[in-house]
Amino acid sequence: MSHAKSPELRTGNANYAAEAEAPIVYEGRAPRAPGHLSSTGKEIWRAVWQAGSGAYSPDTDRNLILRYAELYDRRSQLLDAVDADGLMTIGSTGQPVVHPAMRYVESTEKELRAIETVIGFTPEARMRLGIVAAEARKVQAGPEDF
């Protein structure tokens, strides 16, 4: 009895390239960026929908992508505060301490990384989701680059 894997059997092993592209679930225009987002959030909103290239559905993925854009807005506001005040500040007993907003920057970035994994914005996540790397590059490069 042979223990070789059948060629049509796909595994979740991220060490191998995906065999197929992610399915197209939506072919319409990207939803309009919500008005409450800052310019950073709106830019992220558009970039995610464009990078998804039809893999995201406005019906089921909208709130996740909105959360991602809102987190980018939060990160941007926190970093603006740190830039304005300086990375170091004076603590309650007069000692130098890192700006308190940096704690929130770090937790926000942790949330961003979690969402990036879910939506396929890391190489491992793209392989797991079946997004071929060449297709992901086409999103960022024009047809003239290929």
Side-chain angles (χ1 to χ4, degrees):
M1 177 184 210
S2 172
H3 287 54
K5 289 185 181 177
S6 167
E8 62 275 350
L9 180 65
R10 292 190 58 178
T11 66
N13 190 334
N15 292 323
Y16 301 99
E19 296 172 15
E21 296 177 24
I24 302 296
V25 295
Y26 179 71
E27 296 189 69
R29 292 181 56 132
R32 181 182 299 268
H36 72 280
L37 294 173
S38 74
S39 59
T40 298
K42 288 177 182 176
E43 182 180 324
I44 293 298
W45 172 272
R46 290 182 197 106
V48 170
W49 285 103
Q50 180 182 3
S53 207
Y56 309 128
S57 166
D59 295 332
T60 59
D61 302 321
R62 179 185 191 86
N63 288 334
L64 180 66
I65 295 169
L66 176 59
R67 176 76 173 142
Y68 189 69
E70 289 171 340
L71 285 167
Y72 254 98
D73 272 349
R74 179 195 306 169
R75 180 181 180 274
S76 177
Q77 292 167 354
L78 289 166
L79 290 175
D80 285 349
V82 171
D83 286 345
D85 301 339
L87 180 61
M88 301 301 289
T89 188
I90 303 301
S92 61
T93 60
Q95 80 284 14
V97 295
V98 174
H99 195 294
M102 287 305 295
R103 177 178 45 175
Y104 299 109
V105 169
E106 291 170 4
S107 64
T108 299
E109 289 177 344
K110 183 177 180 180
E111 291 180 63
L112 286 167
R113 284 190 300 275
I115 294 173
E116 288 166 355
T117 299
V118 171
I119 62 178
F121 274 30
T122 67
E124 180 182 357
R126 281 192 298 275
M127 283 189 275
R128 195 172 54 253
L129 294 172
I131 300 171
V132 178
E135 290 299 315
R137 282 194 306 273
K138 286 180 187 178
V139 171
Q140 295 176 350
E144 66 279 359
D145 295 329
F146 287 91

